[in-house]
Amino acid sequence: MMSQIIFLYLAGVIIVSSILVITRRNPVHSILWMLLLFLHIAAMYIFLNAEFLAVIQIIIYAGAILVLFLFIVMLLNLKREERERKAHSIWPAAIILGLAIAAQFITIMSTIVFSAPQDRYSTSFIQKEGASQVLGSLLYTEFLFPFEVASLILLVGMIGAIVIAKKRMG
C-alpha cells in the first residue's frame, strides 16, 4: 500500500510538473519546474531499484542539461519573443494534434505485450549482476531497435535546433 502511494505521488508530480514546464510563459520558471521534474524522475528510478539511472538522471539532466538550458535562455532575446506571442493562435490545433498523438500512443502501448522472463529481470537478479550491466545488456540486445530509434529522434532534434538557431542569426 505504501509503495503504491509513493508511486502515485511521484507519477502525479511528474505529470503536473511536465505540464507546468510547457505552459509557463517565463522560461526561467519552466526550467525550475523542469528541475523538479528531473528530481522526481530520479526518485522514481530509485523507487524502481535503478540507482545507476537515478545518479545519471541527476548528474546529466538535472546538472548539465539544465545548466545548458539556463545559458540558452540567458543568451536568447526573450523580450522580442514575449511581444510576438504567435503561439496563441495555434493552441486549438496543437491540443487536437496532441490528443491525436496521445490516442495513437495509448493504442500502440495497449497492443504491446511485455513478456520478459520474470527470473531474468527480477530485482534480485539485477542486484546480483549490477544495474548498469543489466541495462547495457538489455539496450544492446533485446531493445536495440527502440534504442536506435530514440537516438535518431534525439539527432533530429539537435539538427532542428541548429537549423532554427542559424535562421535567427542569419
Side-chain angles (χ1 to χ4, degrees), residues 46-103:
I46 290 172
F47 181 70
L48 296 172
N49 293 323
E51 295 85 8
F52 177 75
L53 287 178
V55 170
I56 294 299
Q57 174 75 25
I58 290 174
I59 291 173
I60 293 177
Y61 287 98
I65 291 181
L66 226 54
V67 170
L68 177 69
F69 282 178
L70 273 176
F71 277 123
I72 291 171
V73 165
M74 300 294 179
L75 291 176
L76 292 176
N77 186 6
L78 295 178
K79 293 182 180 181
R80 189 187 76 186
E81 293 293 327
E82 288 177 2
R83 276 186 270 141
E84 292 179 359
R85 297 185 186 199
K86 293 182 207 172
H88 291 293
S89 61
I90 62 169
W91 265 106
I95 289 173
I96 291 171
L97 180 65
L99 289 175
I101 291 172

Side-chain angles (χ1 to χ4, degrees), residues 7-140:
F7 180 81
L8 289 175
Y9 163 75
L10 292 173
V13 171
I14 288 170
I15 291 170
V16 169
S17 60
S18 63
I19 290 171
L20 289 172
V21 166
I22 61 172
T23 57
R24 299 298 93 192
R25 290 181 186 225
N26 189 338
V28 176
H29 293 167
S30 291
I31 290 174
L32 292 176
W33 285 112
M34 191 181 302
L35 175 64
L36 182 70
L37 171 71
F38 288 160
L39 292 177
H40 276 80
I41 288 174
M44 182 70 86
Y45 286 142
I46 290 172
F47 181 70
L48 296 172
N49 293 323
E51 295 85 8
F52 177 75
L53 287 178
V55 170
I56 294 299
Q57 174 75 25
I58 290 174
I59 291 173
I60 293 177
Y61 287 98
I65 291 181
L66 226 54
V67 170
L68 177 69
F69 282 178
L70 273 176
F71 277 123
I72 291 171
V73 165
M74 300 294 179
L75 291 176
L76 292 176
N77 186 6
L78 295 178
K79 293 182 180 181
R80 189 187 76 186
E81 293 293 327
E82 288 177 2
R83 276 186 270 141
E84 292 179 359
R85 297 185 186 199
K86 293 182 207 172
H88 291 293
S89 61
I90 62 169
W91 265 106
I95 289 173
I96 291 171
L97 180 65
L99 289 175
I101 291 172
Q104 285 185 339
F105 180 74
I106 290 171
T107 303
I108 291 170
M109 290 303 290
S110 66
T111 59
I112 295 175
V113 177
F114 296 102
S115 61
Q118 293 300 319
D119 57 340
R120 190 169 172 198
Y121 303 118
S122 66
T123 306
S124 60
F125 177 76
I126 292 172
Q127 288 175 346
K128 181 180 149 196
E129 292 293 320
S132 58
Q133 284 184 328
V134 172
L135 177 67
S137 123
L138 281 174
L139 282 179
Y140 290 112

